Amino acid sequence: MPHARSKTVVHVIGARPNYMKIAPVMEALRPAPGIRQVLINTGQHYDQSMAGSFLNELDLPAPDHDLGVGSGSHAVQTAKVMIAFEEICLAERPDLVVVVGDVNSTLAASLVAAKLVIPIAHVEAGLRSGDRAMPEEINRIVTDRLADLLLTPSRDADANLLAEGTPREKIHFVGNVMIDTLRRHQRMATLDRVRNRIPVGDAPYAVLTLHRPSNVDNRETFGSILQAIRVVAATMPVVFPVHPRTRSRLREFELEAELEGVILTEPLGYIDFLSLTANAAIMLTDSGGLQEESTALGIPCLTLRENTERPATVTDGTNRVVGTRAADIIDGFTTAMSDGTAARMPELWDGHAAERVATVIREFLSR
Ligand code: UD1
């Protein structure tokens, strides 16, 4: 009898929040006999601080293909990924395409795979903010509609998919792969790593991140957030690693003066950033991933948005969704600092989610 052909699994990464999700999945699949793994980097992010350092730190193999798409409007960026990724799929003939999260590269790769009738596994499926003004929400909805394996991080995600009519057998509750990566690197995350660049001591400090277009592309909203940050900065040092989009808006809107007392840094690598957050008194953010990481670290988080696609971080974790009005952020800060944190870990955020992803994938490929 001829040997069964080995199966090809193509993993897609492209933007900063992808690397820490793919890394544990590739590692968990590595010992699987008969599976050839191929890593595609779309290049949606390209700076060393936004992409390169993560590839190096997270034990990811060198990508087999770099698509080099770079920045652009949503249509341009999505289309560029699609054109280049289609060629890769025709050459590699994958048996499964694995996409993670909700960035433009996730959507683009899913559209290409679906049209070529290649099965898709979506890691972090089912999250919904209910806010279609968020580009990520469109990416989530379409990717989930196209995917064959919907690997969910939390029970609310299962409920969202079922409510949209997704067949139950496509949904696999596996837990949160980002927390696998966090647990793996937590021991290395010490303040000594960053103290030479960031002047924080043993006294409490806050960490701020902002990059959502809805927050930083609007001068009024951005200004209102920074007004609250000045109040926080009067209480404790605020460390602010600045995303490139945010850096340009600060300049364009001439808001730098509002940042008096705030410690600005370039975007940090994965372990440096974890070192900073793991030792912080509080985080203020509009990121999705940081809401989860703060919950995993047991550190209070204020989400500077009107909604969240990660409600388990509020119901179980340390997160409060406070919006973008200065008074509400300040209220949230005061409450969070006086209330303490009595959080529990959301179900299956146990550091073993990628192993469950690998089991589902192996079973799917052996059908
Ligand atoms: C993207 C994702 C968002 C994710 C975020 C993490 C989409 C729709 N958005 O948003 O979900 O939370 O990444 O950072 O996929 N730039 C650089 N260097 C880089 C990358 C970007 O300078 O390496 C600058 C460019 O000016 C670019 C801007 O940042 O135009 C925004 O980058 P882009 O990839 O369009 O979106 P993000 O805001 O990073």
Side-chain angles (χ1 to χ4, degrees):
M1 247 188 31
H3 283 297
R5 178 176 82 85
S6 82
K7 305 277 180 161
T8 299
V9 175
V10 162
H11 301 273
V12 181
I13 50 173
R16 185 169 61 174
N18 295 158
Y19 312 111
M20 62 293 269
K21 296 173 192 170
I22 281 286
V25 173
M26 286 192 84
E27 189 184 324
L29 276 175
R30 218 163 272 151
I35 293 184
R36 183 175 75 97
Q37 302 198 74
V38 176
L39 182 61
I40 314 292
N41 181 17
T42 67
Q44 174 173 342
H45 286 169
Y46 41 85
D47 287 350
Q48 178 64 13
S49 64
M50 297 291 289
S53 69
F54 290 80
L55 280 167
N56 299 337
E57 276 182 311
L58 295 175
D59 301 325
L60 278 160
D64 298 280
H65 304 274
D66 279 302
L67 309 185
V69 301
S71 299
S73 70
H74 285 272
V76 167
Q77 193 172 57
T78 308
K80 279 186 168 174
V81 175
M82 287 182 72
I83 293 166
F85 187 62
E86 186 181 53
E87 277 181 34
I88 303 288
C89 285
L90 292 172
E92 294 282 358
R93 298 164 44 91
D95 296 282
L96 183 71
V97 167
V98 178
V99 294
V100 293
D102 54 17
V103 301
N104 285 345
S105 299
T106 311
L107 168 72
S110 302
L111 282 168
V112 169
K115 293 278 180 88
L116 292 173
V117 201
I118 300 165
I120 301 161
H122 183 204
V123 177
E124 202 182 89
L127 298 185
R128 298 288 182 272
S129 66
D131 176 3
R132 288 204 183 191
M134 244 182 125
E136 292 82 1
E137 183 76 350
I138 310 295
N139 296 346
R140 293 180 198 117
I141 292 169
V142 179
T143 302
D144 285 343
R145 197 69 196 165
L146 299 176
D148 302 85
L149 295 176
L150 294 144
L151 300 143
T152 60
S154 47
R155 295 279 184 198
D156 55 278
D158 291 25
N160 292 334
L161 292 168
L162 290 170
E164 290 173 8
T166 310
R168 188 176 286 277
E169 59 274 16
K170 286 188 172 185
I171 304 171
H172 303 269
F173 173 43
V174 292
N176 192 330
V177 293
M178 256 184 70
I179 306 308
D180 294 12
T181 299
L182 183 145
R183 295 290 178 231
R184 199 152 301 161
H185 293 87
Q186 209 170 350
R187 262 180 302 115
M188 292 173 237
T190 62
L191 269 187
D192 288 343
R193 285 182 64 98
V194 292
R195 272 209 180 105
N196 60 345
R197 282 160 291 153
I198 304 170
V200 283
D202 295 325
Y205 63 89
V207 174
L208 169 69
T209 80
L210 291 170
H211 75 281
R212 295 261 159 243
S214 57
N215 280 346
V216 302
D217 287 357
N218 178 309
R219 193 188 190 286
E220 207 181 316
T221 311
F222 199 177
S224 143
I225 293 172
L226 294 185
Q227 203 186 324
I229 297 305
R230 278 168 79 102
V231 176
V232 175
T235 317
M236 61 175 72
V238 176
V239 185
F240 183 16
V242 188
H243 184 284
R245 169 196 292 283
T246 309
R247 171 83 62 187
S248 359
R249 295 299 173 267
L250 274 173
R251 262 188 231 121
E252 186 186 327
F253 299 148
E254 297 177 354
L255 283 168
E256 283 117 326
E258 298 286 317
L259 288 167
E260 206 184 311
V262 175
I263 302 164
L264 302 188
T265 75
E266 291 304 306
L268 298 174
Y270 182 79
I271 303 173
D272 284 353
F273 188 64
L274 182 59
S275 304
L276 197 62
T277 55
N279 292 289
I282 187 165
M283 304 183 210
L284 299 95
T285 190
D286 61 10
S287 140
L290 203 42
Q291 296 173 51
E292 299 182 337
E293 289 170 341
S294 55
T295 279
L297 294 166
I299 289 169
C301 177
L302 301 182
T303 293
L304 311 181
R305 288 170 41 189
E306 303 303 330
N307 48 55
T308 180
E309 61 289 336
R310 291 162 160 93
T313 61
V314 177
T315 52
D316 295 3
T318 57
N319 188 19
R320 287 180 167 81
V321 180
V322 294
T324 56
R325 288 184 50 235
D328 296 336
I329 299 170
I330 296 164
D331 275 358
F333 176 71
T334 311
T335 315
M337 291 320 315
S338 58
D339 266 13
T341 45
R344 54 195 162 129
M345 207 52 68
E347 195 180 349
L348 298 191
W349 291 24
D350 58 359
H352 299 285
E355 292 157 36
R356 291 184 283 271
V357 172
T359 303
V360 174
I361 288 179
R362 275 196 302 267
E363 200 273 325
F364 178 81
L365 291 175
S366 66
R367 278 182 207 165

